Amino acid sequence: MPDFSDAIRHAQGHEVPWPRDPAADPAKWGVHHDDPPPYNRLRGPVHPRGGVSGVIRVRGEEVASWGEPDRADLTFSVAKTYLALLAGVAHGRGLLPDANETIASRLPGIGFDDPHNRQVTWAHMLEQTSEWHGTCLGMPDQVEHNRRVTYDPKPPQGRKGEARVLQRPGTYWEYNDVRINQLSLALLHLFRQPLPEVFAQSVLQPIGAGRDFRWVGYDDAWVEIGGLRMQSVPGGTHWGAGVSISARDQARIGQLLLDGGQHGGEQLVPAHWIARMQQPCAVAPFYGWLTWLNRQGAMFADASRESWFMVGAGGNYVWMDPKHQAVVVVRWLDAAGAPGFVARVARALG
């Protein structure tokens, strides 16, 4: 049995410097502070977090855990990958037959109708090359123009929130939470059912997960579909709200991805969809469909090149390693300590 004690000690010694209670020091909690006003504020609920926690599974079995692995904490942009899984569920149900289909052709009237946005496909949204332009639930896409994220290698193109020339959809990669929220809104219209319900019923419950799971939207993010009032949920916690879930449940979801969308003999998400989520984007080879890839070892030099990741702000990582049949979850790990943690886990895996 691999010994992960060194990796666990390293993680526990490198907690993210955010306060555990957002109310204790709001200026040092979250990522919304870098946005231009008036968008540099929380729009949905947040709650206190635990300390560094994690779970490691090898060959389908949990072999290590630390901290509070059953505590449901905010998981920030790990939720983006959950949207990709929901799109896969829609594909399996025949609601989204072709990811290369334009969204406007199936869902007119929800923000994809002008000449520029009419070119946007589901695949563009999933790989973050959509260049979608507009306002989603009160937030303009420009707020996220020139966004810088850790694993994006291109140099800064301008100041955060400074308008830039839009490119043709599919030709330019930019991490943009407003566009992700527009994808979530499109999926809500596609399912015509609140996405947290779909995710719980189609993914979490079948894999034995979902205790204390919550996925909430911004306070004013309500729409009416088919005469019913529903809340559209964000693909992260950039402006508050988002997914709260435990490390143990995150590991179960990671296992589902590692197993090609299958659990207990049931294909919950089509295998070819899960495989496509791991394929490099043509203009951003470090990215798949709302997942981060390590094909060139640029993310983590010590992780296998087959490794892929769900990543959220605040030091939330879910690492799927097909080479070692491992799933590794670590939460609230300072980004500066992440390479050391990955190196120690990789060494233990052999």
Side-chain angles (χ1 to χ4, degrees):
M1 181 68 65
D3 180 4
F4 297 103
S5 57
D6 187 31
I8 293 169
R9 280 193 301 271
H10 179 87
Q12 291 172 326
H14 291 82
E15 183 172 338
V16 69
W18 294 13
R20 292 196 182 184
D21 185 348
D25 192 349
K28 294 182 179 177
W29 189 95
V31 296
H32 56 284
H33 308 288
D34 292 334
D35 297 323
Y39 306 107
N40 55 342
R41 64 178 182 87
L42 296 178
R43 300 184 60 211
V46 295
H47 59 84
R49 66 173 178 87
V52 177
S53 297
V55 170
I56 299 176
R57 297 171 67 106
V58 179
R59 290 184 289 278
E61 300 294 329
E62 185 177 306
V63 296
S65 67
W66 62 96
E68 299 178 85
D70 290 315
R71 179 189 175 106
D73 270 348
L74 289 163
T75 195
F76 285 78
S77 287
V78 169
K80 289 177 174 57
T81 310
Y82 299 172
L83 289 175
L85 280 169
L86 280 168
V89 170
H91 178 69
R93 293 183 184 181
L95 298 173
L96 197 170
D98 182 3
N100 294 313
E101 173 186 87
T102 62
I103 298 176
S105 65
R106 190 163 296 269
L107 296 172
I110 68 164
F112 294 90
D113 299 310
D114 67 57
H116 176 81
N117 291 334
R118 218 171 21 236
Q119 305 171 74
V120 175
T121 68
W122 295 98
H124 292 153
M125 295 296 267
L126 289 164
E127 66 187 16
Q128 301 229 50
T129 64
S130 73
E131 288 286 82
W132 180 85
H133 181 59
T135 298
C136 176
L137 303 171
M139 300 288 287
D141 69 290
Q142 184 184 322
V143 172
E144 291 277 81
H145 284 200
N146 302 306
R147 171 91 179 265
R148 295 291 301 140
V149 286
T150 302
Y151 304 111
D152 177 5
K154 67 176 181 296
Q157 307 295 303
R159 292 193 313 274
K160 176 74 160 59
E162 182 180 59
R164 59 169 181 78
V165 176
L166 292 174
Q167 308 298 314
R168 181 169 53 83
T171 66
Y172 185 83
W173 189 90
E174 181 175 74
Y175 200 84
N176 187 305
D177 268 284
V178 175
R179 292 174 184 148
I180 290 298
N181 293 348
Q182 182 69 13
L183 168 64
S184 181
L185 179 65
L187 288 169
L188 176 62
H189 280 272
L190 197 63
F191 282 108
R192 303 175 68 81
Q193 179 184 356
L195 297 189
E197 290 181 10
V198 180
F199 194 66
Q201 294 163 3
S202 302
V203 176
L204 296 181
Q205 292 167 11
I207 64 175
R211 191 185 108 187
D212 298 329
F213 161 79
R214 298 184 302 282
W215 195 348
V216 299
Y218 307 138
D219 299 336
D220 57 354
W222 293 87
V223 297
E224 187 173 300
I225 300 175
L228 297 176
R229 188 169 178 260
M230 303 180 192
Q231 192 177 40
S232 189
V233 293
T237 309
H238 188 126
W239 296 286
V243 169
S244 294
I245 194 169
S246 71
R248 191 158 270 138
D249 279 357
Q250 285 184 305
R252 291 183 173 111
I253 296 168
Q255 188 71 54
L256 180 68
L257 289 168
L258 192 65
D259 293 340
Q262 186 179 87
H263 177 82
E266 184 180 1
Q267 196 71 45
L268 302 179
V269 184
H272 64 270
W273 188 273
I274 300 295
R276 180 60 187 82
M277 287 172 64
Q278 303 169 62
Q279 295 305 304
C281 169
V283 298
F286 51 86
Y287 207 73
W289 275 0
L290 300 180
T291 59
W292 295 90
L293 310 179
N294 197 47
R295 294 295 182 92
Q296 282 80 44
M299 277 192 77
F300 295 108
D302 294 296
S304 73
R305 298 304 179 260
E306 301 96 323
S307 291
W308 52 312
F309 296 81
M310 306 181 237
V311 179
N316 287 277
Y317 299 87
V318 183
W319 168 17
M320 287 76 63
D321 182 358
K323 180 179 179 181
H324 297 100
Q325 283 297 294
V327 176
V328 182
V329 177
V330 63
R331 317 199 66 180
W332 311 118
L333 174 67
D334 188 356
F341 172 77
V342 169
R344 286 164 172 81
V345 171
R347 191 157 54 240
L349 287 170

